[in-house]
Amino acid sequence: MTQPPGAVFALGLFAALWLLAGLWAVGRGIAMQRRSAYVAAQTERLASLVEASPYLPVVVRGDWRIEASERLGRWLGLDRGPRNFDELAGIEQGLDADGIEALRQAILGAQRGARPFTLSLRPQGGSRTLVIQGAAAPVAVGGPGSVLLWLSDATDGEQALADMRRERNEAMAAFEALSGLIEAAPFPMWFRDTDLRLALVNRAYVRAVEAGSAAAVIDEGVELCEPVAGMSAADAADQARAAGGAQMRTVPVTIEGERRIMRVVDVPLAPEGGGAIGVAGYAIDVQELESERGVHRRFADTQRELLDRLSAAVAQFGPDQGLVFANQPFRRLFEVDADAVAEATPFARLLDAWREKGRVPEVRDYPQWREAHVGWFALPRASEEDWLLRDGTHLRLVAQPSPDGGLLLIAEDRTEQVQLAGARDTLLRVRTATFDNLFEAIAVFAPDGRLHLWNQRFRRLWGVDEPTLAAHPRVDALMSGLADRLAKPNQISIVQEVIRAATLERTQRAGQIRFGDGRHFDFASIPLPDGNALLIMLDVTDSRRIESALRERNEALEAADKVKTAFLSRMSYELRTPLTSIGGYGEMLQAGYAGKLGDQQQGYVDAIMDSVAVLGRQIDNVLDLAQGEAGTLAIERAPVDVRALLGQALADARPLADAEGIELVDNISAELGTIEGDAPRLSRLVAGLLDNAVRFTAPTRRTGGRVLLHAEGDARGVDIVVSDNGPGMPEAVAAVTRGQQAGTPSGGIGLALARQLVAAHGGTMEVLSEKGQGTLVRVSLPRGA
């Protein structure tokens, strides 16, 4: 299993530290050994002087009687020398109860098992420390069961000896632990003596050089590292010793027949007093590390290339808090130039620069804010913040500490999202306000049939409380509880079916329902693009009432119109009969059947005949208008020479125009040809238009009045235009609807009749009028029926 590069490096560093500690312990142990030898020699000399020394021998017999000089009493602070064991204790002098008991047990042990002992006791009432060494006494000294005690005053030396013994034991234990650790290390480790020859190697070293044992390696001087550039392993160790510090180099090494890259470290060791005692070394296999480092380097390059293409702003800071990478969006967003990346600008300095450029939020206590953000590097987890810059930019920042002590900083420009969210909130409020103020009752159902949205009119219409709707019930459960509101409760299924068709079949349907209180509603369901269905209900109660009233009124108007049409038709026929008689008698008078008439009489008869002709035309107009409104106007179609018809109409209108002082102008194309139509009615149509134009131009323009008759045609039909420069029609539309222009005499042909005649011929009529500018009437007639 390949170790991560960081773990391998940490293991190497740990081994190096342990090696240093072990080498120090070795030196310390050697020093302790020398000191222990010195102490042992001193002890032997002291042993030879015991007989003459101030040591106090004491014999404790089997019956616990004591044989000792008076010095024993003085050392114990007693008034006299003790004669038995119990006299060793006292109230304020002698040994205390614990000391007596410890000495008693030690003597018993020596008596029973002949085990020597040593005790250190402190008599009461003084600062003296007595060292008691005991063992079974020779029979010649005290007899059977006796114990020989040697007492010495060790007040000063005992403490030093105890400390030295403890330090020696600790050093030996540390040395043994370090030696075991070095021996168990998975990488080669060695120690060179003062001559730079191998003096100690571990098992990993032996395996690496494929030797039989550590002794064989040391005896043969088998080196792990071969010379590189003329420098041997011993030369490298000598350089480390001369430099006085650890030296590191990376060299190729053959380990177990395989070429590997190793990092070799030589560490000179020296005791506290100075003078080198040797050089320790170790080698770490960095083959995988170097390979992984290359892979990591390529991965980092690829990652940075990818980050450079992201839309989010990304920057990387190293363990020293310097900027090591920033993609293009980050440089644009925070105005970071290439020099800042090349110089590894510290994060704190970047914050200061961003503050001057307005790329950080405005805060009250900037130093504290800056310190808190520099602390991002030491946090155990990622930090997220929203920054509002003074130019209105909204940023979302994520700071992710990296395992190497660096920092990954990601910034996203959320200005557009914030604006869209604000616009969305505004739209939602507008939608809610709009929904609640609509005249229609509105509800939106989701594809699963659940109520999604509703307005207040919908709630009030059905009389449902807000909590019920807020539970978003299904349409079947909701409508089943609302059936009793309808005049016909079974009609609620129609509403459900309409909603189902919109949500499932995606079809629009409509219907009508009536509530129990008499209100009528039109409703429809509309499929929405998001899969929902919109239900709209409109109160048409007033419309139904108005519609009913209008229907009744229309029926009454139609009946009245029929009566009027019948009346006009009858009156036209009844007026025509006496008019025909008057015209007949007038013609007889003109023909001289009643004798020759005088000039005055002839003038009277001519006036009567002119009035008869005018009245006849008016009667025909009224009859045509009545038939047109009744839909019974019959057109007798025949070829009509349009140019001749217009010429005759122009000639008939010229006397009136001359009498009114109106200039009558024609612009008639010579290629009008013929059309299929009713010639008498067309003649009355054109004559009526000219008559109206002349009459309604004259009252306002006694001089300069002008009426134009224009006509042109093509293969499809003929266009006839009658225009004037009179006062115009202020209410043109109303005049067309009424059938006469405002102020038009009741005897003149109305525009309504003209429109009916044109429509009867399959043509169209257009009226344009502007106040003070005149009126234009355009008639378009087709060639055929």
Side-chain angles (χ1 to χ4, degrees), residues 432-513:
T432 302
T434 303
F435 276 14
D436 288 342
N437 289 279
L438 290 175
F439 290 105
E440 297 88 350
I442 293 178
V444 178
F445 290 88
D448 60 357
R450 291 189 176 276
L451 180 64
H452 183 55
L453 295 174
W454 64 91
N455 63 354
Q456 293 300 317
R457 192 172 295 274
F458 180 87
R459 183 185 64 81
R460 292 192 296 268
L461 170 63
W462 291 98
V464 184
D465 55 9
E466 192 71 26
T468 301
L469 298 179
H472 302 286
R474 294 181 61 87
V475 62
D476 49 357
L478 177 63
M479 291 303 171
S480 61
L482 303 178
D484 57 349
R485 272 77 161 176
L486 302 181
K488 297 180 179 180
N490 58 350
Q491 285 187 333
I492 200 69
S493 61
I494 301 177
V495 181
Q496 294 181 229
E497 179 61 24
V498 166
I499 297 174
R500 188 196 65 80
T503 54
L504 299 181
E505 301 176 6
R506 311 300 296 164
T507 58
Q508 179 175 338
R509 293 188 183 181
Q512 299 175 349
I513 56 174

Side-chain angles (χ1 to χ4, degrees), residues 19 74 220 229 248 270-271 302 321 356 443 495 518 555 582 611 736:
L19 175 62
R74 292 194 298 271
E220 298 175 7
M248 181 184 304
T302 304
Q321 301 187 1
E356 295 178 359
V495 181
E555 292 174 355
I582 295 172
S611 298
V736 172

Side-chain angles (χ1 to χ4, degrees), residues 376-398:
W376 275 348
F377 287 83
L379 294 180
R381 58 185 178 277
S383 301
E384 297 186 15
E385 283 190 4
D386 291 318
W387 286 9
L388 175 59
L389 308 185
R390 63 189 178 197
D391 61 355
T393 302
H394 290 262
L395 299 181
R396 180 65 173 174
L397 264 74
V398 178

Side-chain angles (χ1 to χ4, degrees), residues 94 185 231 259 367 370 503 508 588 593 609 656 678 695 728:
M231 179 181 292
R259 201 68 169 171
R370 177 176 178 268
T503 54
Q508 179 175 338
M588 291 175 64
Y593 288 104
M609 294 304 296
L656 178 61
D678 192 326
R695 290 180 184 277

